[in-house]
Amino acid sequence: MANLKDIRKRIATVKSTQKITSAMKMVAAAKLRRAQEAAEAARPYADKMNQVIGGLATRTDPTMHPLLEARSAESNALVIIVSSDRGLCGGYNANIFRATDKFVRDRTASGLQLQVATIGRKSRQYFRKRPVEVDRDFPGVIGHVSYAQAKAIGGYATERFVSGEVDKVYLVYNRFISAIQYETEIEALLPLSLEDIVADDATADAISEYIFEPDEASLLAKMLPAHIEVKVLHALLEAEASEHSARMTAMDNATTNANDMIDSLTLTYNRARQAYITKELVEIVSGAEALQG
């Protein structure tokens, strides 16, 4: 028979855990609202910059800029991975690592040498134990996303590419879709492709009527590095919103599971208590009959 005291202790432990998971769910929901607003506000800016750069490219020779240089022989690549600092967010980090591992295996099998740069404590811990070179870590980014941090990361990627140390740069992050859904993205960050930077007809026509000072080529040279920084910032904001979404969902599931476990333990406790009382009654009745007979 189960010990009643042990069952009571277990029920109390699960109730305490449930309070924690419920509080974490509420905190994640509050943070998600702010992170979602920031991520969604950044999307039109990134799209408009795409269009402006696309319009400028139609008025100049875009192949003159090193960030647009598509190298025929690719031997080295850099993968920048955005994970979380903390756990308890369901499959958020596992999805990132699974996609990155597959990507690394496929590329190294074709002879491409890969290095990784990590953003987030979980990715730093994970890839230090993997047979891949960790070139750099960016601590303190997750939870404190700013343009200054995106500029530092974008500048690092640009410097590695322009210097010829790597021939391609990829960015791996989770893109926010809704409060209950996100999607792992592996985005080619460098070199920039004009196929992805396209201006609509209205923007192209408007830009064609402008007179630029300085000239279009100089302006494009200034805007392309900024475009990289905006893409990194956008990815960081999407990842942050996805993390809060994943944590809120995970804590909601944990709270529901704790409630189911409390119900199950309470039922077990009541059955054990009923059996214990029945046993005592049988012993009393048996004792009374023995005295009478």
Side-chain angles (χ1 to χ4, degrees):
M1 183 184 298
N3 188 300
L4 296 179
K5 185 177 181 181
D6 291 342
I7 298 175
R8 282 199 302 269
K9 284 183 177 179
R10 193 174 179 191
I11 290 174
T13 300
V14 176
K15 284 183 177 179
S16 178
T17 302
Q18 186 185 41
K19 289 179 181 179
I20 295 172
T21 57
S22 179
M24 291 183 68
K25 172 191 171 183
M26 294 175 64
V27 171
K31 290 183 176 180
L32 170 62
R33 184 172 62 254
R34 294 193 294 270
Q36 181 178 352
E37 289 172 356
E40 291 176 346
R43 290 173 184 172
Y45 182 82
D47 292 341
K48 196 63 179 178
M49 179 168 274
N50 258 347
Q51 294 177 6
V52 171
I53 292 175
L56 282 172
T58 62
R59 296 189 54 172
T60 185
D61 182 7
T63 59
M64 299 283 292
H65 200 281
L67 295 184
L68 294 164
E69 179 190 350
R71 295 162 191 171
S72 55
E74 295 180 4
S75 57
N76 296 283
L78 173 68
V79 184
I80 303 175
I81 301 145
V82 184
S83 72
S84 69
D85 277 343
R86 300 183 295 124
L88 299 178
C89 49
Y92 176 85
N93 291 311
N95 291 337
I96 286 284
F97 301 151
R98 189 181 304 112
T100 305
D101 283 341
K102 183 179 184 305
F103 182 79
V104 169
R105 283 196 308 270
D106 293 345
R107 294 304 184 277
T108 52
S110 61
L112 187 64
Q113 298 295 318
L114 288 176
Q115 300 174 352
V116 301
T118 56
I119 302 172
R121 185 167 56 87
K122 291 296 182 181
S123 61
R124 180 172 70 250
Q125 293 174 343
Y126 183 83
F127 285 100
R128 278 180 177 173
K129 301 176 183 178
R130 293 294 182 277
V132 60
E133 180 185 352
V134 179
D135 182 70
R136 185 166 173 181
D137 175 59
F138 292 89
V141 174
I142 305 303
H144 307 88
V145 175
S146 67
Y147 185 79
Q149 293 166 329
K151 185 175 182 179
I153 297 167
Y156 157 75
T158 299
E159 181 182 348
R160 295 294 309 280
F161 178 78
V162 172
S163 66
E165 297 176 50
V166 296
D167 302 312
K168 204 148 192 177
V169 180
Y170 297 94
L171 188 60
V172 185
Y173 65 98
N174 284 321
R175 181 171 61 87
F176 177 80
I177 297 176
S178 70
I180 58 172
Q181 187 180 6
Y182 57 88
E183 188 175 81
T184 302
E185 294 277 350
I186 301 179
E187 180 179 346
L189 188 64
L190 285 168
L192 291 172
S193 171
L194 285 182
E195 294 179 359
D196 300 326
I197 306 174
V198 179
D200 57 30
D201 294 338
T203 304
D205 292 341
I207 289 177
S208 66
E209 299 175 0
Y210 295 161
I211 298 174
F212 291 96
E213 181 64 34
D215 59 274
E216 294 92 330
S218 300
L219 185 57
L220 187 65
K222 288 286 187 181
M223 291 192 68
L224 286 177
H227 180 57
I228 295 295
E229 295 161 7
V230 169
K231 289 182 75 172
V232 172
L233 177 63
H234 182 224
L236 293 175
L237 292 173
E238 293 279 343
E240 188 170 51
S242 299
E243 179 187 347
H244 294 317
S245 166
R247 182 168 288 109
M248 183 185 71
T249 301
M251 291 302 98
D252 180 59
N253 291 336
T255 302
T256 301
N257 292 338
N259 188 65
D260 293 342
M261 186 176 291
I262 290 170
D263 291 343
S264 177
L265 287 171
T266 301
L267 182 60
T268 302
Y269 174 81
N270 290 336
R271 286 176 175 172
R273 185 168 175 271
Q274 184 179 23
Y276 182 76
I277 293 172
T278 302
K279 180 183 176 183
E280 285 190 335
L281 288 174
V282 169
E283 289 176 352
I284 292 171
V285 171
S286 298
E289 290 179 351
L291 289 174
Q292 291 178 0

